[in-house]
Structure formats: structure tokens, C-alpha cells
Amino acid sequence: LLVHHHVRRHPWLADNSQMVGGEELTELLRETGKQWLVVHGHRHVPFLSYADGGATSPIVLSAGSVAAKPYPIRGRHP
């Protein structure tokens, strides 16, 4: 499923750019019993996660962009 705004709150962004009804949408997708991949890009900050729920929770990909404003690196490295 391709959408513009975040279907759930992005953990690295302070603002709330989440779509209205995003949690309800992911719940509906989960209830189908099928595996879903939800791709969005609104803020162009890359992040891959599972929506809340069980084994049929949608995978959510926040797509990055080479044209986007750079953000600080997240995570740790040796």
C-alpha cells in the first residue's frame, strides 16, 4: 500500500505528521490476515518497522530520498 503521510508516529521526528486514521488503517490491514507492506515518504526519513500487533502486522517503510534535507544519523556503530 502506497500512502503519503506516516500511518503511525515516526520515532525520529518531533512533529506529528501522522495521517488521520493511520492506526485504524493498519488495524484493518492486519485484520485481513495477509502480510502488508505500507510505504510512505512524507518527511523522507528512512525507517523500517512493524506496526503494532501480531504476526500479520503490516511492515511500515518510511522511504528516504536523495533530495531530502539531511537528518542526524540514528543508531549506534562500533
Side-chain angles (χ1 to χ4, degrees), residues 41-46 63-71:
H42 179 59
R43 294 294 300 275
H44 307 277
V45 180
S65 172
V66 295
K69 168 180 114 175
Y71 288 86

Side-chain angles (χ1 to χ4, degrees), residues 34-68:
K34 307 287 186 199
Q35 187 64 62
W36 284 87
L37 171 64
V38 179
V39 179
H40 66 84
H42 179 59
R43 294 294 300 275
H44 307 277
V45 180
F47 191 72
L48 180 65
S49 65
Y50 280 97
D52 297 331
T56 58
S57 294
I59 298 168
V60 180
L61 173 63
S62 177
S65 172
V66 295

Side-chain angles (χ1 to χ4, degrees), residues 13-34:
L13 299 175
D15 69 336
N16 186 9
S17 58
Q18 180 177 340
M19 77 165 49
V20 173
E23 294 293 330
E24 292 84 357
L25 175 60
T26 55
E27 178 65 20
L28 287 171
L29 295 175
R30 188 177 60 76
E31 288 176 357
T32 68
K34 307 287 186 199

